[in-house]
Amino acid sequence: MGSNALAVGSQGVSGGTSMLLANPHFPWQGKNRMWQSQLTIPGKVNVSGASLLGFPAVNIGYNENVAWSHTVATVAPFGLFDVQVDPLSPTKYLVDGAWEQMTSQRVEVDVRQPDGSLAKVGRTLWATRYGPVTTAIQGQDLPWVVSAHAVRDVNMHNLRALNTWFRLDQADDVHEVVDILETTQGVPFFNTVASDRTGKALYADIQAVPNITDEHARSCLTLTGQLLFYQPLRLPNATPVSILDGKRSACDWPDDPDAVAPGLLSPKVQPRLIRNDFVGNANDSPWLANPEQPLAFPRVMGDTAAPRSLRTQELILTARKRIDGTDGLPGKGFTPQTMGQLLFADNSRAADLALGATVTMCRNVPFGLVLVDGNLVNVSEACPVLAGWKSHDYTTDSRGSWLFAHYWAYLLGGQGVEKLPWRVPFDPKNPVHTPNSLDTGSSALRDALARAVHALRTAGIALNAPLSDVQKVTRGGEQIPIHGSLGQLGVLNVITPGQVDGKFDIVFGSSFIQQVRFTADGPPQALSVLAYSQSANPNSPHYADQTKLFSAGGWVTERFTEEQIAASPALRIKVLD
């Protein structure tokens, strides 16, 4: 999962007191889609936004005075305990010098067989005092031989989430948002970004977190746990997972008097920031919610002084330039028009940093020929295509963007962007602008371009094909072009293509997009678009309507007050018994 969220305070807006951009990235199919609603209990709550399927409150949205959104945080909401087992009786484990017996639970489920019949399949699940035993994590085997690994999760008994979001639906300002997050600790693994009518912008990473203080980590991490927790090799997309010494009961997560449940980190030490200009998050740690005021926090919540993703850089630069009026758009400060324009500009931070060097490298390839993976590839046709892509965007009419996306994917090869051959490496004192300046003499650039050119030609795709020819979603037999691209390219409007039922489609990305502006008085002003549309029923008129609107870069003007709703020509009222 991913997301962007940007809150702009009174110093960063034009014609209002604050604004919020909500841009959660979620699957386009299946149960994790978001659904729009407005929930009203007269005199109690009036909130508009979107929720995950089945959740009876608004997860991302706005009320009369506050707008908020969430992004997936860098906290690992679970941790492992390495317990020594008896080789002759591996369901016994050692704690404080004494053997304890694991508990067991037999679980049986009905499984459909190849002939269509149902048959019982059973498993015995084992658990320690710390939690259930697991034999794999994130695709890595955890052999149950000399030791076993138990997992403890802060959300295993977290039934507080509904309390959190129902109270957020009623919040009056960002200070109350902080109080709600602290007193419920019901948020499972999200940052919160909010703005309010008074002109304040809030970033808060206050949630259910394992109580692994830096001191506790130093005392209790195993050797393998230290590598995972501190991440000296900086594994891409890896959260600081802990493996603690289960032989010592003192290494269990301690209880904190300020936390609302056993084993949770005190909300008082979790990061938050309220400003009048802007705060934001694009799935990096809380460190640079605003670069003018870097945050500090326990390591379990994420890293500091470490490379930021290109999407984080793009979010910060977009906010700074708009507030300063240096982005080429009229005036200074955000308005609904400029906020929408900047998100749907689909600019690629990767292209800003690397396209020029890539074109130079391409033009310097001897005879335009590169031998890679046993193929002799002529890349000379790619040079003018990339050089002509001056806009660096992933709008539907962009040409060269699809080629650059493939080139960038081959160049990254699954590693962090800081691992590329930059002449200027990452500098924690200049994290928004480093690393930069690709080494045009690196063979990695040449080989990546050759692989991208070969892949497109093999697929029968022209190197200068417009994005609208190749990136589409199918609705009712109609193919709708979709703008945006991968987060690794530093594009805020994340769109991830893939396979759906064996056919090319959009599988993940921008979902419920909403921008909200507050003024000193009057109702909130909101625009939204649900990228994959409200209905999953192909026979519904709302199966593709907003998808087409999203494709065209359009927005729905929301109606919030009773008067605005009553004035809608499409209003239909159904009273339920």
Side-chain angles (χ1 to χ4, degrees), residues 207-543:
Q207 55 175 297
V209 181
N211 190 16
I212 304 173
T213 63
D214 293 348
E215 180 181 0
H216 193 67
R218 285 191 295 269
S219 172
C220 288
L221 285 172
T222 66
L223 292 178
T224 303
Q226 292 176 30
L227 292 175
L228 288 174
F229 193 76
Y230 297 113
Q231 299 175 7
L233 301 179
R234 287 201 55 78
L235 302 174
N237 303 317
T239 55
V241 175
S242 60
I243 303 180
L244 302 178
D245 182 4
K247 296 189 301 296
R248 294 184 285 153
S249 61
C251 287
D252 198 356
W253 303 343
D255 297 340
D256 190 290
D258 290 329
V260 301
L264 297 190
L265 183 71
S266 166
K268 304 298 183 183
V269 302
Q270 298 183 38
R272 78 288 311 272
L273 181 63
I274 297 176
R275 290 182 63 91
N276 293 326
D277 51 359
F278 77 92
V279 294
N281 184 266
N283 304 125
D284 271 322
S285 75
W287 179 44
L288 293 187
N290 184 301
E292 301 302 317
Q293 197 173 347
L295 296 173
F297 39 87
R299 178 67 183 90
V300 69
M301 303 198 70
D303 57 17
T304 58
R308 301 295 87 179
S309 73
L310 296 184
R311 187 156 50 87
T312 291
Q313 291 187 0
E314 180 69 11
L315 185 70
I316 292 170
L317 291 170
T318 296
R320 280 178 167 176
K321 291 176 181 179
R322 176 79 304 258
I323 293 173
D324 294 341
T326 57
D327 56 7
L329 298 178
K332 295 182 179 181
F334 282 94
T335 65
Q337 181 179 12
T338 56
M339 184 169 275
Q341 279 182 277
L342 290 168
L343 177 63
F344 289 165
D346 298 313
N347 184 70
S348 168
R349 175 66 175 156
D352 292 346
L353 290 170
L355 185 60
T358 300
V359 171
T360 299
M361 173 276 298
C362 184
R363 289 170 173 167
N364 290 336
V365 172
F367 307 106
L369 298 175
V370 179
L371 181 63
V372 63
D373 303 330
N375 301 299
L376 187 62
V377 182
N378 189 332
V379 300
S380 56
E381 181 190 353
C383 306
V385 172
L386 292 174
W389 183 44
K390 300 182 184 299
S391 58
H392 300 180
D393 65 54
Y394 279 81
T395 54
T396 53
D397 60 353
S398 62
R399 294 178 181 268
S401 57
W402 193 249
L403 170 62
F404 186 84
H406 282 71
Y407 157 72
W408 194 250
Y410 281 116
L411 186 60
L412 283 177
Q415 62 186 346
V417 68
E418 71 276 5
K419 301 294 180 63
L420 298 186
W422 302 103
R423 295 185 185 275
V424 179
F426 170 72
D427 181 355
K429 296 180 180 179
N430 188 17
V432 180
H433 297 281
T434 60
N436 62 59
S437 305
L438 279 178
D439 180 0
T440 57
S442 170
S443 61
L445 276 64
R446 180 195 64 210
D447 292 349
L449 181 59
R451 290 187 174 102
V453 169
H454 180 70
L456 264 61
R457 286 176 177 158
T458 301
I461 299 173
L463 300 187
N464 67 340
L467 190 66
S468 58
D469 280 1
V470 288
Q471 187 165 276
K472 304 176 183 180
V473 64
T474 302
R475 288 286 187 272
E478 180 182 359
Q479 290 192 317
I480 305 169
I482 299 296
H483 58 99
S485 196
L486 303 174
Q488 294 94 320
L489 287 158
V491 177
L492 294 180
N493 177 32
V494 168
I495 293 294
T496 304
Q499 295 287 322
V500 177
D501 297 329
K503 297 179 181 179
F504 183 91
D505 215 311
I506 306 301
V507 297
F508 177 87
S510 291
S511 54
F512 172 68
I513 311 172
Q514 185 175 65
Q515 52 169 309
V516 182
R517 177 168 69 170
F518 290 105
T519 55
D521 50 29
Q525 303 162 5
L527 300 172
S528 69
V529 62
L530 189 60
Y532 38 64
S533 297
Q534 175 81 338
S535 178
N537 180 1
N539 298 317
S540 169
H542 303 298
Y543 179 61

Side-chain angles (χ1 to χ4, degrees), residues 18-328:
S18 73
M19 289 191 71
L20 178 97
L21 174 65
N23 180 211
H25 305 148
F26 271 77
W28 276 41
Q29 289 87 21
K31 63 183 176 61
N32 286 324
R33 287 172 49 151
M34 302 196 78
W35 310 89
Q36 289 179 266
S37 66
Q38 181 167 352
L39 306 178
T40 304
I41 302 174
K44 298 291 184 180
V45 61
N46 187 13
V47 60
S48 181
S51 311
L52 292 174
L53 183 64
F55 199 86
V58 167
N59 293 132
I60 291 175
Y62 66 97
N63 60 29
E64 186 70 26
N65 297 306
V66 176
W68 75 95
S69 189
H70 301 287
T71 62
V72 175
T74 54
V75 169
F78 64 92
L80 299 176
F81 291 84
D82 185 312
V83 295
Q84 180 180 334
V85 299
D86 182 347
L88 299 179
S89 181
T91 60
K92 290 183 178 179
Y93 63 103
L94 197 64
V95 180
D96 296 336
W99 294 103
E100 294 188 8
Q101 178 64 48
M102 295 181 186
T103 58
S104 65
Q105 180 184 10
R106 184 68 180 175
V107 177
E108 291 187 342
V109 297
D110 290 324
V111 176
R112 190 175 302 281
Q113 303 301 301
D115 64 359
S117 64
L118 295 179
K120 294 287 186 183
V121 173
R123 296 285 187 272
T124 298
L125 308 181
W126 295 91
T128 69
R129 63 161 63 191
Y130 306 111
V133 174
T134 182
T135 54
I137 180 174
Q138 296 177 335
Q140 298 297 315
D141 290 337
L142 297 172
W144 185 350
V145 186
V146 177
S147 64
H149 289 84
V151 61
R152 183 175 180 184
D153 193 313
V154 292
N155 293 305
M156 181 176 291
H157 303 292
N158 180 7
L159 301 179
R160 305 177 303 276
L162 182 56
N163 298 337
T164 299
W165 270 291
F166 187 65
R167 288 184 59 191
L168 286 176
D169 290 356
Q170 305 171 81
D172 284 330
D173 56 35
V174 297
H175 298 286
E176 186 175 356
V177 170
V178 171
D179 179 70
I180 292 166
L181 298 175
E182 286 191 339
T183 55
T184 62
Q185 283 189 271
V187 174
F189 40 78
F190 297 126
N191 301 287
T192 301
V193 177
S195 63
D196 68 17
R197 188 179 292 276
T198 70
K200 300 297 183 181
L202 165 72
Y203 166 83
D205 190 4
I206 304 172
Q207 55 175 297
V209 181
N211 190 16
I212 304 173
T213 63
D214 293 348
E215 180 181 0
H216 193 67
R218 285 191 295 269
S219 172
C220 288
L221 285 172
T222 66
L223 292 178
T224 303
Q226 292 176 30
L227 292 175
L228 288 174
F229 193 76
Y230 297 113
Q231 299 175 7
L233 301 179
R234 287 201 55 78
L235 302 174
N237 303 317
T239 55
V241 175
S242 60
I243 303 180
L244 302 178
D245 182 4
K247 296 189 301 296
R248 294 184 285 153
S249 61
C251 287
D252 198 356
W253 303 343
D255 297 340
D256 190 290
D258 290 329
V260 301
L264 297 190
L265 183 71
S266 166
K268 304 298 183 183
V269 302
Q270 298 183 38
R272 78 288 311 272
L273 181 63
I274 297 176
R275 290 182 63 91
N276 293 326
D277 51 359
F278 77 92
V279 294
N281 184 266
N283 304 125
D284 271 322
S285 75
W287 179 44
L288 293 187
N290 184 301
E292 301 302 317
Q293 197 173 347
L295 296 173
F297 39 87
R299 178 67 183 90
V300 69
M301 303 198 70
D303 57 17
T304 58
R308 301 295 87 179
S309 73
L310 296 184
R311 187 156 50 87
T312 291
Q313 291 187 0
E314 180 69 11
L315 185 70
I316 292 170
L317 291 170
T318 296
R320 280 178 167 176
K321 291 176 181 179
R322 176 79 304 258
I323 293 173
D324 294 341
T326 57
D327 56 7

